[in-house]
Amino acid sequence: MLTARFVVSNTDYQKCPIPDKPEIAFLGRSNVGKSSLINSLTNQKNLAKTSTKPGKTQLINHFIINEQWYLVDLPGYGWAKVSKTQKRKWQKMIQEYLLYRPNLLCVGLLIDSRLPPQAIDLELMTWMATSEIPFVIIFTKADKQSKNKTSLAIATYLKTIAEHWEELPRHFITSAVEKTGKEELFLFIEEINKSFEKP
Ligand code: GTP
Ligand code: MG
């Protein structure tokens, strides 16, 4: 049995829950499926708020899984319809959270499995790598096209990354609709959670 409940929403990483448990955060463009994947992983329909329109999640949302670890839903980026001021505010909020949250073990960077590599995501990967923020890639919406197309798109994606780095980040292929990749992702999280030491 898995339990999951909402804990708190914040704009400031310093107000997030006491960092005494391991934490994993989902990051990615607006509409890529971060909130949907949280619902899929936790077997709940509306634990994280989702929308067909981008820009639904606007805060740092903490959920606690099995009362043991935190899963965090973050606001998306790369959404055109926001003011520059708003964009800057979000960027500061997310970057500070990623840089200074002491119990953050790993970021799951969500990428739409149908799209060719986007500069905005690649830049973020470079920033995380240079900031020494561990991350894995989670390809989403695999149900939206054939397995062959997904495999091909992912191979292209990884090839692009390989042009910049010697070591490829770990990757997962998921669908929030068909619940693909769920077990693999959970096993991975359980594994890294073992490495957690209270800050
Ligand atoms: P923001 O909160 O704006 O950053 O977006 P988000 O990344 O949280 O996206 P959200 O989970 O709200 O999903 C956006 C849209 O994509 C919704 O209409 C979802 O139903 C749809 N969606 C998400 N994941 C999947 C998936 O695996 N398969 C399919 N077919 N649709 C998906
Ligand atoms: Mg969301």
Side-chain angles (χ1 to χ4, degrees):
M1 240 315 260
L2 176 141
T3 65
R5 64 180 173 85
F6 169 74
V7 182
V8 68
S9 293
N10 278 294
T11 53
D12 183 347
Y13 78 94
Q14 286 170 307
K15 293 184 184 144
C16 288
I18 297 168
D20 61 352
K21 292 179 179 64
E23 186 158 312
I24 312 293
F26 285 175
L27 179 68
R29 303 181 70 173
S30 289
N31 214 45
V32 72
K34 300 173 292 295
S35 305
S36 302
L37 189 62
I38 289 179
N39 291 337
S40 155
L41 290 174
T42 57
N43 302 316
Q44 294 193 34
K45 278 212 171 82
N46 294 309
L47 183 66
K49 301 280 181 301
T50 66
S51 169
T52 50
K53 292 193 208 106
K56 181 69 181 174
T57 310
Q58 302 216 0
L59 300 166
I60 302 168
N61 295 296
H62 275 76
F63 301 95
I64 190 162
I65 312 298
N66 291 339
E67 302 297 323
Q68 283 170 351
W69 55 278
Y70 291 115
L71 183 55
V72 175
D73 193 12
L74 294 171
Y77 53 82
W79 176 40
K81 279 190 192 160
V82 276
S83 68
K84 275 211 176 126
T85 326
Q86 186 64 266
K87 255 186 213 164
R88 250 182 256 122
K89 237 169 81 184
W90 283 2
Q91 192 174 15
K92 183 172 180 285
M93 168 169 85
I94 298 168
Q95 283 191 344
E96 284 184 349
Y97 164 80
L98 294 172
L99 286 171
Y100 307 127
R101 181 73 177 152
N103 59 332
L104 181 63
L105 284 186
C106 188
V107 170
L109 179 65
L110 275 69
I111 302 283
D112 190 321
S113 60
R114 298 167 299 171
L115 300 180
Q118 310 283 303
I120 195 166
D121 296 317
L122 297 173
E123 281 160 18
L124 187 58
M125 280 183 223
T126 303
W127 179 79
M128 286 198 285
T130 50
S131 310
E132 297 183 352
I133 299 166
F135 69 92
V136 295
I137 297 181
I138 302 176
F139 291 102
T140 64
K141 306 194 184 183
D143 59 284
K144 288 224 178 191
Q145 63 183 6
S146 71
K147 280 211 171 88
N148 271 345
K149 272 196 170 165
T150 301
S151 304
L152 209 66
I154 289 172
T156 307
Y157 210 103
L158 297 176
K159 213 176 131 203
T160 306
I161 300 176
E163 285 166 12
H164 302 278
W165 291 322
E166 284 174 22
E167 214 181 314
L168 284 179
R170 216 177 139 163
H171 73 276
F172 300 86
I173 301 167
T174 67
S175 157
V177 172
E178 293 177 347
K179 306 217 159 190
T180 324
K182 202 171 137 173
E183 267 87 56
E184 203 192 343
L185 202 50
F186 262 120
L187 282 175
F188 169 73
I189 294 172
E190 274 170 16
E191 205 47 51
I192 57 167
N193 281 352
K194 287 184 194 155
S195 69
F196 179 70
E197 288 165 23
K198 279 190 193 181

